[in-house]
């Protein structure tokens, strides 16, 4: 093992950048990042809707407070609005669900009174809390969150809503369907039937009311990149194979082979590719293949699709104080979160919109959210088809036949060949062991001569902040620290810079 090891990082998303930054700061000189695309940031991607800056990928800092390294960096770089920095904002603890002011519209073109839907909203919120409690109890009654919520709503509604008239009760159930679709977006899953009940509570939230980057999330990436030595990243350099356990080559136990045939000898490789990419390509990427227990965890963890459809208008059709708009289908009292006819009804999966604020910055713009196979299908349509579907939908729900969007912009994360979806969630049968397996380096049983050949970082390897930017950042730091402590244990002064 050389004293100044060759370390290759695969992927220049926030986790790869965090790992490189930590290693370089600790004095490691032979660090390289190989990135498949022409840019840094991965799922942090800022775009434009007309004159406005919008996020194609990550949107918020979830839980912006002292314990969140992304918040601390953004504050240090001066990237946040003053409001996000206030102690009050940092102290707000909302359990991952900000208390947004809603407007609710129904499929018969009525604006509903949000107060009238409180029974459904409250019951759903209680059931989400309860869904989080099973991981500490064990013995969950249902394998997935969807079945648990549906069965509990049925039982509780029979008791608590027994005096409601049939129409009111049906509308509450339709609202539950809408909430299930919201949660599909939050979890990045096709349906809550695919989210494991036993592991749902593994995800931890931080205090702080979610905030955005007024100049774009990519400002964080630019600042972090400016701290790295120039030339550290090779762009447009997809890695095709990671040959590990090269027993005949004691000097460099790993060889990274790129699409263009370049072979790079390394002592350590930190793989940060998204779980979606790993699910699709693990069998070719690793030679020898991943050990079975690790492979099973890659398969058990979920990685779905959540996309955005930005829509800009000349004037608002929502209330001045409105922060979120829900579209409730009046034929959905069966509490379904997936459509049966993908081509004909994909748009029904869009739960509604968040309102881009402040208006002075964004004009009258909304961000629509759609998860699952319906979202993946949406990606295959032309921009005109998406614009047509969204226009018809808004006209129907508002009862206003002339509303016309000025611009529409959508993300297409499923068809991004280097991501293959949006972010991870605990699938059915998952436990914390699966997340631990994800982060376990190869070879599993370290040999003295060839330890820590392949290390794993990325959002899907964080045991409780998976699916987030801060989780991804911390995972990169974790793997850098693993190498730093390895070298300080074998040679406390190396690498001495
Ligand atoms: C967050 C948010 N947010 C919306 C949408 C998306 C995501 N996230 P990267 O993919 O960045 O980097 C890997 C690199 O590897 C990449 O550059 C590739 O090109 C490269 N690569 C791949 N293959 C390669 C190869 N073969 N060779 C070389 N290079 C290769 N997170 O904190 N706030 O608002 C959102 C959102 C639409 C798509 C998000 C959000 C997720 C983050 O974007 C994501 O975790 C990190 O950026 C990933 O960084 P990385 O380095 O790991 O990978 C209650 C409860 C329930 C539980 N869940 C609640 C969580 C809520 C999550 N919310 C997300 C919501 C939004 C809206």
């Amino acid at each position: 093992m050389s004293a100044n090891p060759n370390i290759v990082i695969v992927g220049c998303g926030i986790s790869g950048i965090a790992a490189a930054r930590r290693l370089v700061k600790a004095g490691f000189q032979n660090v390289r990042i190989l990135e498949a695309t022409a840019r840094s940031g991965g799922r942090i991607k800022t775009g434009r809707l007309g004159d406005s800056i919008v996020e194609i990928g990550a949107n918020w800092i979830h839980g912006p407070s002292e314990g969140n390294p992304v918040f601390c960096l953004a504050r240090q770089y001066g990237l946040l609005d003053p409001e996000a920095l206030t102690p009050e904002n940092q102290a707000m603890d909302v359990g991952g669900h900000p208390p947004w002011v809603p407007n609710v519209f129904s499929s018969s073109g009525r604006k509903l009174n949000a107060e009238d839907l409180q029974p459904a909203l409250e019951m759903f919120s209680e059931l989400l809390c309860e869904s989080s409690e099973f991981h500490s109890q064990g013995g969950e009654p249902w394998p997935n969150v969807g079945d648990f919520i549906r069965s509990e709503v049925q039982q509780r509604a029979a008791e608590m809503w027994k005096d409601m008239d049939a129409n009111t009760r049906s509308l509450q159930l339709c609202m539950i369907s809408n909430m299930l679709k919201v949660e599909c977006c939050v979890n990045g899953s096709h349906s809550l039937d695919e989210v494991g009940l036993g592991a749902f509570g593994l995800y931890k939230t931080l205090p702080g009311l979610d905030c955005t980057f007024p100049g774009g999330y990519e400002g964080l990436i630019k600042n972090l990149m400016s701290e790295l030595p120039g030339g550290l990243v090779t762009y447009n350099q997809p890695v095709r194979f990671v040959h590990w356990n090269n027993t005949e080559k004691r000097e460099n136990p790993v060889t990274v082979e790129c699409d263009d045939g370049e072979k790079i000898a390394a002592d350590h490789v930190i793989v940060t590719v998204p779980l979606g990419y790993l699910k699709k390509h693990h069998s070719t990427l690793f030679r020898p293949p991943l050990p079975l227990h690790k492979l099973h965890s890659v398969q058990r963890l979920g990685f779905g699709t959540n996309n955005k459809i930005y829509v800009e208008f000349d004037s608002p059709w929502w209330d001045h104080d409105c922060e979120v708009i829900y579209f409730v289908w009046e034929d959905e009292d069966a509490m379904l979160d997936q459509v049966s006819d993908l081509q004909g009804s994909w748009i029904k999966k869009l739960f509604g919109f968040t309102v881009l604020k402040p208006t002075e910055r964004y004009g009258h713009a909304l961000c629509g959210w759609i998860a699952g196979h319906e979202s993946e299908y949406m990606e295959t349509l032309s921009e005109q088809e998406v614009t047509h579907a969204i226009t018809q939908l808004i006209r129907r729900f508002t009862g206003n036949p002339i509303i016309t969007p000025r611009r529409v912009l959508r993300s297409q994360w499923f068809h991004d060949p280097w991501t293959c979806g949006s972010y991870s969630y605990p699938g059915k049968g998952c436990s914390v062991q699966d997340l631990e397996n994800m982060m376990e380096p190869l070879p599993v049983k370290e040999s003295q001569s060839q330890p820590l050949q392949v290390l794993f970082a990325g959002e899907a390897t964080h045991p409780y902040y998976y699916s987030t930017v801060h989780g991804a950042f911390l995972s990169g730091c974790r793997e850098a620290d693993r190498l730093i402590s390895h070298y300080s244990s074998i040679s406390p002064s190396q690498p001495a810079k």
Side-chain angles (χ1 to χ4, degrees):
M1 180 72 56
S2 75
N4 218 322
N6 286 326
I7 303 173
V8 171
I9 298 169
V10 184
C12 195
I14 188 86
S15 60
I17 296 170
R21 179 172 175 264
R22 192 89 150 200
L23 288 166
V24 168
K25 280 192 173 175
F28 288 82
Q29 288 177 329
N30 301 324
V31 179
R32 263 186 95 170
I33 301 182
L34 304 176
E35 166 56 45
T37 69
R39 55 178 285 277
S40 307
R43 281 170 276 173
I44 294 177
K45 187 175 183 184
T46 303
R48 282 199 168 264
L49 179 72
D51 294 334
S52 305
I53 290 169
V54 291
E55 305 296 353
I56 310 299
N59 221 71
W60 295 281
I61 301 182
H62 289 309
S65 51
E66 289 303 331
N68 186 330
V70 170
F71 170 70
C72 294
L73 282 167
R75 178 176 59 185
Q76 183 192 318
Y77 296 140
L79 301 174
L80 301 178
D81 273 336
E83 200 191 332
L85 303 173
T86 60
E88 297 74 41
N89 200 85
Q90 291 182 52
M92 290 263 286
D93 205 345
V94 295
H97 288 83
W100 288 327
V101 175
N103 277 184
V104 189
F105 294 86
S106 78
S107 49
S108 60
R110 292 183 296 150
K111 183 156 180 282
L112 306 178
N113 187 347
E115 281 299 307
D116 295 343
L117 294 158
Q118 273 309 311
L121 291 167
E122 271 168 28
M123 190 184 286
F124 194 84
S125 150
E126 273 168 28
L127 287 169
L128 267 190
C129 282
E130 290 176 33
S131 302
S132 298
E133 283 159 12
F134 290 105
H135 84 108
S136 44
Q137 295 173 359
E140 61 271 15
W142 295 94
N144 65 71
V145 176
D147 281 345
F148 171 69
I149 290 184
R150 262 189 296 273
S151 93
E152 286 296 317
V153 171
Q154 258 152 15
Q155 282 181 36
R156 293 178 196 196
E159 177 58 28
M160 294 165 70
W161 300 347
K162 62 178 184 300
D163 297 328
M164 277 181 194
D165 67 71
N167 285 344
T168 313
R169 194 185 152 114
S170 165
L171 199 58
Q172 303 297 329
L173 294 172
C174 296
M175 187 69 213
I176 297 277
S177 295
N178 180 275
M179 292 289 105
L180 288 168
K181 294 179 210 169
V182 172
E183 274 307 300
C184 288
C185 290
V186 172
N187 288 273
S189 62
H190 169 54
S191 157
L192 288 198
D193 298 3
E194 292 176 4
V195 180
L197 184 57
F200 186 66
L202 291 175
Y203 180 77
K204 286 193 186 158
T205 57
L206 285 159
L209 194 59
D210 291 3
C211 66
T212 55
F213 289 74
Y217 228 127
E218 274 193 21
L220 175 70
I221 299 295
K222 279 201 188 83
N223 276 275
L224 288 168
M225 290 303 293
S226 71
E227 293 177 13
L228 292 177
L232 187 134
V233 187
T234 310
Y235 293 100
N236 300 310
Q237 190 67 309
V239 167
R240 184 174 290 183
F241 307 113
V242 176
H243 303 273
W244 57 289
N245 253 351
N246 290 345
T247 37
E248 69 283 5
K249 290 179 77 183
R250 291 180 69 84
E251 268 301 297
N252 295 116
V254 196
T255 307
V256 173
E257 192 175 334
C258 300
D259 261 9
D260 66 2
E262 186 185 348
K263 290 187 179 157
I264 301 160
D267 296 294
H268 312 283
V269 176
I270 305 180
V271 175
T272 77
V273 301
L275 175 62
Y277 182 90
L278 214 50
K279 278 177 181 282
K280 201 167 171 183
H281 299 288
H282 66 83
S283 62
T284 45
L285 187 60
F286 298 102
R287 299 187 169 188
L290 293 176
L292 271 186
H293 69 286
K294 202 170 174 87
L295 174 59
H296 287 155
S297 294
V298 166
Q299 290 166 338
R300 254 195 305 269
L301 279 165
F303 194 82
T305 303
N306 180 20
N307 273 309
K308 303 173 179 187
I309 307 178
Y310 285 102
V311 198
E312 194 191 352
F313 300 89
D314 290 331
S315 55
W317 43 268
W318 53 93
D319 293 345
H320 180 68
D321 63 345
C322 168
E323 294 171 297
V324 61
I325 297 168
Y326 297 124
F327 277 3
V328 177
W329 289 86
E330 287 173 51
D331 60 350
E332 287 191 343
D333 60 1
M335 294 189 284
L336 294 179
D337 59 7
Q338 34 193 319
V339 307
S340 46
D341 165 24
L342 209 53
Q343 292 190 8
S345 316
W346 65 270
I347 194 82
K348 290 183 86 175
K349 188 66 169 278
L350 184 128
F351 78 72
F353 303 88
T354 48
V355 183
L356 271 59
K357 299 240 173 178
T359 309
E360 308 80 65
R361 187 176 292 150
Y362 297 105
H364 307 297
L366 303 175
C367 178
W369 296 87
I370 179 163
H373 302 321
E374 298 83 349
S375 188
E376 292 160 13
Y377 177 74
M378 178 277 293
E379 293 187 20
T380 66
L381 301 174
S382 68
E383 274 182 28
Q384 288 91 321
E385 285 169 315
V386 173
T387 303
H388 178 73
I390 210 102
T391 306
Q392 294 306 113
L393 181 82
I394 293 168
R395 288 179 178 177
R396 174 175 180 164
F397 275 74
T398 56
N400 179 339
I402 57 165
I403 291 180
T404 305
R406 194 196 274 174
R407 278 188 195 87
V408 173
L409 174 76
R410 44 80 192 262
S411 61
Q412 290 169 293
W413 286 103
F414 181 68
H415 287 89
D416 179 322
W418 312 108
T419 313
C420 314
S422 55
Y423 40 86
S424 61
Y425 62 88
K428 276 184 288 185
C430 264
S431 71
V432 70
Q433 186 63 54
D434 291 302
L435 290 147
E436 279 164 13
N437 290 347
M438 288 294 294
M439 70 172 95
E440 187 182 39
L442 301 175
V444 172
K445 283 206 175 73
E446 284 185 15
S447 73
Q448 273 303 91
S449 55
Q450 299 174 319
L452 303 179
Q453 294 177 27
V454 187
L455 302 94
F456 293 84
E459 56 88 9
T461 72
H462 196 283
Y464 46 86
Y465 295 144
Y466 49 82
S467 76
T468 66
V469 173
H470 54 284
F473 181 89
L474 288 169
S475 74
C477 296
R478 178 193 69 219
E479 295 311 312
D481 285 344
R482 205 190 285 278
L483 288 175
I484 293 166
S485 65
H486 171 72
Y487 280 94
S488 54
S489 72
I490 58 171
S491 172
S493 60
Q494 288 292 341
K497 300 289 139 11

